[in-house]
Amino acid sequence: MKRIKVNIPSKEYNVYLGKESFKELPAILKREKLEGNFLVVIDNKVNRLYSKIIDQTFNQANLNVKRLVVVSTEKNKSYTTLQRIHSALIKNNFGRDSIIIAIGGGIIGDIAGFAAATFMRGIKFIQIPTTLLSSVDSSVGGKTGINYVNTKNIIGSFHQPSLVIIDTDFFKTLPKDEQLCGLGEIVKYGFLTNERFFNFIRKNVDLILNNDATVIRKVISESIKFKGNIVEADEKESGIRKLLNLGHTFAHAFEVQQKHKLKHGQAVIVGITCSLYLSKELKIISEKDFIKYLDFLLLFSDRIKIAKVNNSTIYNIMKRDKKNRQNEIQFVLVNKIGSILTDVPADRKMVIQSINQAVQHF
Ligand SMILES: NC(=O)c1ccc[n+]([C@@H]2O[C@H](COP(=O)([O-])OP(=O)(O)OC[C@H]3O[C@@H](n4cnc5c(N)ncnc54)[C@H](O)[C@@H]3O)[C@@H](O)[C@H]2O)c1
């Protein structure tokens, strides 16, 4: 099992990565000195598919564990679910020393993390991501939150986990389109990091989609190490962390406009394509690089389909993005692999034009 340290000034924690690492939970909790009452907030499908191994692992650990099952939908990433978690903690007389364990994808991790951030002004929580997307991205970095009034992640807080355990065996039951969502965030890391990792991803798209153990382990560990370094430098996203939002301003708007039929990771690929076109409109990227990067993104054009898009609606949703300053949308754009610009304003006409050009591929 691999161990990656995330060294945030306010909090240091370990990410354990490997096959069957979930079974090691009792030993890891001991090593990490994490004890108290545990509330497990678990995805309904994961609870059904893995009930035996989950029961066995908790019994073996001999812990006081209560379990709350949540159906993972963007609609349920809500105040109602937050209240359910807080009520469960209160009903079970859980105090400040209690710990929430999130077992599921990014939806579970985000809500359970926010519940931990807000219960008794903050209790510990553990991330056990079960999707590729949550493993490469959302389980590390401490962004937690819920959706509200048709706006993604608009209510939330920064609250770092105390521990992350990534068991790649969970992906065996992951539907193909969810694996593709994970690949969406991996593609983002390809643009953010360096040519070597970008080319590795490009060469291994099929192996990633087919959950090849060696390739998956490499892309998770590279992505997390990169994200860890960025979050260590800028936990609260006042500077360099904004890079991680590449494609996301567009993506969140597409998700809402498409009524969440377009999943987050797939929307990220569409969003990066829009960012690429906008980078070209603003002459930030060379023609040669634009063609090379677009060619890569087009590998996904048959795999991602979006329903008819109203570009003004997408633009208006983007105007509500929490990253905007003085009512101006701030874009993250591509100059080259590993050279990304943040806080770039753009003319409405250019943005709409970029959306127009990008959506024709999906
Ligand atoms: N906090 C962050 O930094 C951050 C970063 C990226 C994304 N996010 C958020 O993450 C969410 C998306 O996360 P996600 O893609 O993991 O989606 P998800 O949590 O909705 O899970 C996707 C689907 O897979 C199912 N599932 C989960 N694990 C499974 C398994 N092992 N086998 C079979 N089915 C399984 C779930 O029931 C669900 O239907 C979005 O809400 C997004 O906003 C947060």
Side-chain angles (χ1 to χ4, degrees):
M1 199 167 25
K2 202 175 176 127
R3 187 158 56 115
I4 301 165
K5 217 176 195 45
V6 181
N7 250 319
I8 294 168
S10 66
K11 184 149 192 177
E12 197 177 88
Y13 54 94
N14 284 319
V15 179
Y16 292 85
L17 163 66
K19 272 173 77 60
E20 299 196 343
S21 51
F22 178 70
K23 283 190 188 152
E24 302 296 320
L25 179 75
I28 297 174
L29 289 178
K30 219 176 221 171
R31 192 179 312 143
E32 299 282 336
K33 298 191 174 53
L34 288 165
E35 50 194 28
N37 297 316
F38 291 88
L39 177 70
V40 172
V41 179
I42 185 165
D43 173 279
N44 62 314
K45 289 182 198 146
V46 176
N47 188 49
R48 181 164 40 79
L49 290 163
Y50 296 94
S51 62
K52 201 165 151 204
I53 168 180
I54 290 171
D55 289 345
Q56 271 170 2
T57 306
F58 285 129
N59 289 341
Q60 189 197 337
N62 212 5
L63 304 168
N64 178 19
V65 179
K66 300 284 180 232
R67 195 180 306 192
L68 184 74
V69 180
V70 174
V71 177
S72 294
T73 57
E74 289 292 340
K75 199 164 165 253
N76 282 349
K77 198 172 163 182
S78 63
Y79 274 115
T80 312
T81 307
L82 190 68
Q83 281 170 347
R84 281 185 65 209
I85 301 174
H86 286 157
S87 302
L89 290 162
I90 295 166
K91 265 191 221 143
N92 287 297
N93 287 322
F94 278 16
R96 265 220 168 114
D97 61 343
S98 53
I99 301 174
I100 294 182
I101 305 184
I103 308 182
I107 291 186
I108 297 294
D110 280 11
I111 318 175
F114 189 46
T118 42
F119 186 68
M120 292 191 172
R121 300 197 180 86
I123 60 170
K124 290 181 179 164
F125 88 111
I126 296 171
Q127 289 269 24
I128 305 190
T130 60
T131 62
L132 180 59
L133 183 140
S134 52
S135 300
V136 289
D137 198 22
S138 62
S139 59
V140 169
K143 277 193 182 177
T144 70
I146 55 172
N147 306 329
Y148 190 55
V149 195
N150 248 340
T151 312
K152 286 262 307 176
N153 306 329
I154 190 75
I155 312 289
S157 86
F158 289 99
H159 189 58
Q160 300 294 335
S162 297
L163 164 71
V164 181
I165 301 176
I166 302 172
D167 183 341
T168 52
D169 277 359
F170 279 120
F171 311 149
K172 283 183 186 153
T173 50
L174 209 55
K176 278 268 176 286
D177 60 337
E178 296 299 344
Q179 194 79 5
L180 176 60
C181 282
L183 182 52
E185 295 284 4
I186 294 166
V187 163
K188 177 187 84 180
Y189 286 109
F191 278 94
L192 300 185
T193 51
N194 52 52
E195 288 273 350
R196 187 189 45 77
F197 191 44
F198 178 85
N199 289 331
F200 181 84
I201 297 164
R202 191 160 65 158
K203 259 206 326 236
N204 290 295
V205 162
D206 287 330
L207 289 178
I208 297 171
L209 288 173
N210 289 323
N211 203 23
D212 176 271
T214 316
V215 172
I216 284 288
R217 200 177 133 105
K218 180 173 165 74
V219 290
I220 295 176
S221 111
E222 292 268 324
S223 303
I224 283 183
K225 276 190 205 150
F226 180 82
K227 182 166 185 179
N229 286 336
I230 296 282
V231 176
E232 282 167 19
D234 175 26
E235 181 187 7
K236 301 276 165 71
E237 201 170 290
S238 49
I240 195 172
R241 186 170 180 168
K242 292 179 187 173
L243 293 179
L244 301 177
N245 295 323
L246 176 65
H248 279 59
T249 302
F250 289 105
H252 287 159
F254 274 101
E255 284 175 75
V256 170
Q257 193 267 345
Q258 301 273 305
K259 301 199 168 32
H260 299 293
K261 288 198 180 98
L262 183 68
K263 292 171 197 256
H264 179 72
Q266 298 172 357
V268 168
I269 293 182
V270 177
I272 295 175
T273 312
C274 294
S275 307
L276 216 54
Y277 271 105
L278 189 54
S279 308
K280 183 168 155 261
E281 290 284 330
L282 291 168
K283 303 199 178 1
I284 287 172
I285 194 170
S286 75
E287 190 68 29
K288 186 168 154 251
D289 285 337
F290 172 79
I291 292 168
K292 178 177 164 196
Y293 305 157
L294 182 65
D295 193 48
F296 169 52
L297 292 169
L298 294 189
L299 288 176
F300 305 101
S301 61
D302 285 342
R303 295 175 163 117
I304 300 171
K305 286 289 157 233
I306 47 184
K308 198 171 165 24
V309 173
N310 180 333
N311 294 345
S312 306
T313 313
I314 297 279
Y315 188 83
N316 291 338
I317 300 171
M318 289 201 294
K319 289 285 273 184
R320 295 204 299 262
D321 194 281
K322 56 190 173 308
K323 298 180 286 297
N324 296 348
R325 293 286 170 273
Q326 275 138 20
N327 211 21
E328 200 170 50
I329 308 172
Q330 306 287 313
F331 291 95
V332 183
L333 299 179
V334 182
N335 165 237
K336 255 184 175 314
I337 302 292
S339 168
I340 306 293
L341 308 185
T342 59
D343 298 322
V344 186
D347 185 68
R348 183 179 190 273
K349 216 171 126 201
M350 279 189 177
V351 177
I352 300 234
Q353 178 134 340
S354 307
I355 297 171
N356 258 334
Q357 289 169 309
V359 295
Q360 66 181 344
H361 300 298
F362 300 98

